Amino acid sequence: MDFQAGILRDGSPMDSLEKQLICPICLEMFSKPVVILPCQHNLCRKCANDVFQAANPYWQSRGSVISGGRFRCPSCRHEVLLDRHGVYGLQRNLLVENIIDIYKQEFSSRPLKKGEHPMCKEHEDERINIYCVTCEVPTCSMCKVFGAHKDCEVAPLQTIFQGQKTELNNCISMLVAGNDRIQTIISQLEDSCRSTEENSETARRELCARFDALAALLEEKKSELLQRITREQGDKTGFVQGLICQYKEQLEKSSRLVETAIQAMEETGGAAFLMNAKQLIKTIVEASKGGRLEKIEHGYESMDAFSVSLDHLAEAVRALDFDP
């Protein structure tokens, strides 16, 4: 993490430093211990473990018989390979931990900037400081005593703020884990497409070699069977390519939701956060429950059905077809 470069780019060095100390998973300041990934990005060890567990659901603990696992860095998508110790085998970034300690000592009592707290639209001099549970909106004390929410159930703003922020954080973790799974499926589909093409080419070469031995008598039949292989290849690869496009579209939509959610998590004001959090959470949950895309069956890429035996008499050539 290049702290100096980030600070020099910003007119306010301490604000820039604070941005450099934000974990990309929980969107809060790093909580110790801080671990550094092979790609040089940093994570709270707890957050790294959450992402690792989501990507490796069968990995139990450091004492598990399962050896190691992998997950992707949330900042650069670099694949991180771990041994049997899991995230506990990652090196701690003591430099970042020391900077966090110094930062907290110097700025733990910084006052809130003027104008940061939202004000009530009905009572312009009143700050929004409570949450109407009945109407599910932030409001002010005057609205509760004299205004539209006087008969409603209310709760402390901070309580609802923390609850919904935790819920949104869980949604982000769910999306990140889902994106990793989608990326894995895309890789498998691309491998399947390549295998289909390779197997098709193998079947084509074998078929040509066998038909060349019978030359003119088999030319018409050879052409017919080659066309069938080509059609089958086109049908299969076309289907798989279509699936790849669908999964990429789903991944793109999910990634945009992650970016929107991360931007929302950067909101430090409880009231301003709650203005949009509920709808954003609802959108993420609905997206995660969306229709599941189709997958190909095992052995889909096989072209074994297009193998023929040419150990027949010349008189039977015109009746030849692919072996069932």
Side-chain angles (χ1 to χ4, degrees), residues 146-164:
F146 303 107
H149 303 285
K150 63 181 180 180
D151 297 323
C152 298
E153 178 185 355
V154 298
L157 197 65
Q158 191 65 20
T159 300
I160 306 299
F161 167 67
Q162 291 297 338
Q164 291 199 10

Side-chain angles (χ1 to χ4, degrees), residues 162-229:
Q162 291 297 338
Q164 291 199 10
K165 200 162 190 178
T166 298
E167 186 177 355
L168 182 56
N169 183 60
N170 293 337
C171 288
I172 291 175
S173 298
M174 176 179 63
L175 284 174
V176 169
N179 287 350
D180 283 340
R181 288 191 292 270
I182 290 175
Q183 186 62 53
T184 299
I185 292 174
I186 290 175
S187 297
Q188 292 173 347
L189 290 173
E190 290 173 342
D191 290 342
S192 175
C193 187
R194 284 192 295 270
S195 296
T196 300
E197 293 173 349
E198 292 171 359
N199 293 340
S200 297
E201 184 60 28
T202 298
R204 185 179 291 109
R205 286 196 304 268
E206 292 177 354
L207 191 63
C208 287
R210 292 172 181 176
F211 271 87
D212 285 345
L214 296 177
L217 183 61
L218 299 179
E219 192 62 34
E220 181 180 354
K221 199 67 177 181
K222 179 179 69 174
S223 176
E224 174 189 344
L225 297 182
L226 282 174
Q227 290 176 4
R228 289 179 56 183
I229 289 180

Side-chain angles (χ1 to χ4, degrees), residues 3 12 21 24 26 37 47 50 70 72 95 97 105 115 135 158 171 178 200 203 208 219 230 274 276 281 311 319 324:
F3 290 101
S12 175
L21 298 176
C26 62
L37 304 181
C47 294
D50 290 343
R70 63 186 66 194
R72 292 185 181 274
L95 173 61
E97 293 182 9
Q105 291 173 6
C135 301
Q158 191 65 20
C171 288
S200 297
C208 287
E219 192 62 34
T230 302
L274 292 172
N276 301 310
I281 292 171
D311 298 330

Side-chain angles (χ1 to χ4, degrees), residues 86-126:
V87 297
Y88 292 91
L90 291 172
Q91 182 180 358
R92 290 178 62 176
N93 194 331
L94 299 180
L95 173 61
V96 172
E97 293 182 9
N98 291 335
I99 292 175
I100 291 173
D101 290 338
I102 296 173
Y103 179 87
K104 288 183 176 179
Q105 291 173 6
E106 294 293 330
F107 293 91
S108 60
S109 59
R110 279 195 300 173
L112 187 67
K113 294 181 181 179
K114 183 178 180 180
E116 283 187 355
H117 197 99
M119 308 300 287
C120 179
K121 293 182 180 180
E122 298 297 328
H123 308 93
E124 297 181 355
D125 295 331
E126 293 291 325

